[in-house]
Amino acid sequence: MATQEERKRATRRKIMDAAGDLFAHRGIEATTTEALLSAAGVSRGAMYHHFDSREDLVAAVYEEEAAAAIARAAAREPGGLSARERLLAGCLAWLDEVSRPGVARILIEDGPAALGWRRCRRIEEQYSLGRLTAALRWAVDTGEIRVASVELTARLMNAVLAEAALIVIAVNDQAEVRADVEATLRALLSGLASPSKT
Amino acid sequence: MATQEERKRATRRKIMDAAGDLFAHRGIEATTTEALLSAAGVSRGAMYHHFDSREDLVAAVYEEEAAAAIARAAAREPGGLSARERLLAGCLAWLDEVSRPGVARILIEDGPAALGWRRCRRIEEQYSLGRLTAALRWAVDTGEIRVASVELTARLMNAVLAEAALIVIAVNDQAEVRADVEATLRALLSGLASPSKT
DNA sequence: CGGTATTACCGACAAGCAGTCTGTAAAGTG
DNA sequence: CACTTTACAGACTGCTTGTCGGTAATACCG
């Protein structure tokens, strides 16, 4: 047979994959461990050997999804813009990634409900919120925008993007809303512009 | 004994009061129906006679809390300002009301997690979100601000206020953060100002 | 290579929980 | 005063998460 390391990774992967799939399609809350175990083809004992609790498994899936989304968004960001344009582009790229129903369900709808917003934020800090904070700080450092607090502004913008994603996925004509969101984000951001450099 | 109507209202009140108290202090998720029943001094049968499910009870408490918060906020709004200043003042008044730990826990932290954001939004539409939309529309009608979509902007601002409340209650020096939030809101709103009337 | 330790996994079981269901008693109705 | 309707009571059920003693496979060691 395989080494312990390989067995471990394979089993963990089976659990995470089945969980990611069920969470995205049926919702996190609605997915019982029982359903998950039979979907993954894994025993209850195996699951609790890999994860201390159901919540820890949810957190692991959440984190993986967050990392994947930010990676995809980062891969499409254009270069050679002003810091402010880059900030906006980054926000929109993330919004588009997270506007897919399965992703939104895990990262925005069910995730925070299942894990609590504190735990989600701790995870997000390393991903979307972290990138957003960095982009914002960069724009502040170049003098293009001025804010009372970078951390505060980043969290407020993050909240806006999450809400925007919920709106986009809930609506029929996504393109129209998407355009309105972009216009609104642009307007709001213009309010942060430094007086000298509008 | 009393009339049926009186008995009914009294029992319902006992349940709602106990629920509101436990939800605010221990959290919604952490409050079992068992604990609730003994705190309210009411039988399981009585509770399920008044509410179809635990979730319905949560929704009732949520709605009552939302109505109370918006009423308190509305009572302190100053008059005689421009529509834009009034919009900002309304936002801050609501933020202050909702920045009390018990209120925030029910309306922002645990409520949406327990009820799902869709159901919460449906309730909020009649309260905070409704007022915010109206204030925003008024500012648009007077020509002081311009937005791509009133509904969209209202929901994004609502999300900002909710996140701001979470930040305020989580921090030690609330006054400082509160001031930063006000400054940031003012800046963001200035981005919505009509070009003609800055 | 034989024995022991460690690790991955198994699955029956326990305990807590929301919700149900059969009663009962009090108030309303004609 | 019969009868209905309504408010409430509480034992019970089924589902769900997490546990725990046990097993089998790999890793380590002399």
Side-chain angles (χ1 to χ4, degrees), chain B residues 54-65:
Chain B
R54 190 190 113 106
E55 191 183 304
D56 279 5
L57 167 59
V58 173
V61 172
Y62 182 93
E63 178 158 4
E64 197 170 71
E65 208 73 40

Side-chain angles (χ1 to χ4, degrees), chain B residues 70-151:
Chain B
I70 203 75
R72 287 194 304 268
R76 317 190 329 225
E77 277 184 30
L81 298 168
S82 71
R84 214 177 101 201
E85 282 298 324
R86 184 170 280 186
L87 173 62
L88 180 63
C91 287
L92 291 171
W94 189 80
L95 176 65
D96 289 340
E97 286 304 329
V98 102
S99 292
R100 269 106 61 89
V103 179
R105 187 149 208 185
I106 292 175
L107 291 183
I108 304 185
E109 287 184 62
D110 292 10
L115 299 172
W117 68 271
R118 289 160 208 277
R119 189 166 185 180
C120 278
R121 193 169 63 77
R122 239 177 292 137
I123 298 173
E124 269 194 325
E125 273 169 1
Q126 307 168 332
Y127 304 100
S128 65
L129 190 54
R131 270 192 93 84
L132 182 52
T133 306
L136 203 53
R137 181 165 288 127
W138 179 249
V140 168
D141 287 346
T142 64
E144 290 173 56
I145 68 173
R146 180 175 299 173
V147 297
S149 156
V150 170
E151 286 75 19

Side-chain angles (χ1 to χ4, degrees), chain A residues 11-27:
Chain A
T11 304
R12 194 184 163 91
R13 198 90 292 283
K14 278 201 288 183
I15 297 171
M16 297 272 291
D17 286 346
D21 197 58
L22 288 173
F23 290 171
H25 290 89
R26 297 188 197 170

Side-chain angles (χ1 to χ4, degrees), chain A residues 1-4 33 44 48 54:
Chain A
M1 256 215 184
T3 71
Q4 298 253 61
T33 54
R44 180 161 290 269
Y48 279 97
R54 191 191 112 108

Side-chain angles (χ1 to χ4, degrees), chain B:
Chain B
M1 254 215 187
T3 70
Q4 300 249 62
E5 185 71 19
E6 288 168 335
R7 280 173 65 194
K8 184 166 190 165
R9 282 153 78 103
T11 303
R12 195 184 162 90
R13 198 90 297 281
K14 279 201 287 184
I15 297 171
M16 296 272 291
D17 286 346
D21 197 58
L22 288 173
F23 289 172
H25 291 90
R26 297 189 199 170
I28 294 177
E29 174 77 32
T31 299
T32 67
T33 54
E34 205 93 29
L36 205 149
L37 296 174
S38 76
V42 151
S43 75
R44 180 163 292 269
M47 178 189 138
Y48 279 98
H49 179 69
H50 285 275
F51 302 94
D52 283 350
S53 65
R54 190 190 113 106
E55 191 183 304
D56 279 5
L57 167 59
V58 173
V61 172
Y62 182 93
E63 178 158 4
E64 197 170 71
E65 208 73 40
I70 203 75
R72 287 194 304 268
R76 317 190 329 225
E77 277 184 30
L81 298 168
S82 71
R84 214 177 101 201
E85 282 298 324
R86 184 170 280 186
L87 173 62
L88 180 63
C91 287
L92 291 171
W94 189 80
L95 176 65
D96 289 340
E97 286 304 329
V98 102
S99 292
R100 269 106 61 89
V103 179
R105 187 149 208 185
I106 292 175
L107 291 183
I108 304 185
E109 287 184 62
D110 292 10
L115 299 172
W117 68 271
R118 289 160 208 277
R119 189 166 185 180
C120 278
R121 193 169 63 77
R122 239 177 292 137
I123 298 173
E124 269 194 325
E125 273 169 1
Q126 307 168 332
Y127 304 100
S128 65
L129 190 54
R131 270 192 93 84
L132 182 52
T133 306
L136 203 53
R137 181 165 288 127
W138 179 249
V140 168
D141 287 346
T142 64
E144 290 173 56
I145 68 173
R146 180 175 299 173
V147 297
S149 156
V150 170
E151 286 75 19
L152 173 67
T153 310
R155 284 192 54 184
L156 296 185
M157 286 182 61
N158 202 46
V160 165
L161 292 173
E163 184 74 12
L166 287 179
I167 299 173
V168 168
I169 60 172
V171 102
N172 288 326
D173 187 353
Q174 302 205 344
E176 184 193 338
V177 174
R178 180 32 239 256
D180 284 352
V181 167
E182 179 167 347
T184 306
L185 277 182
R186 204 178 283 277
L188 291 173
L189 266 180
S190 77
L192 301 180
S194 298
S196 51
K197 305 196 182 188
T198 308

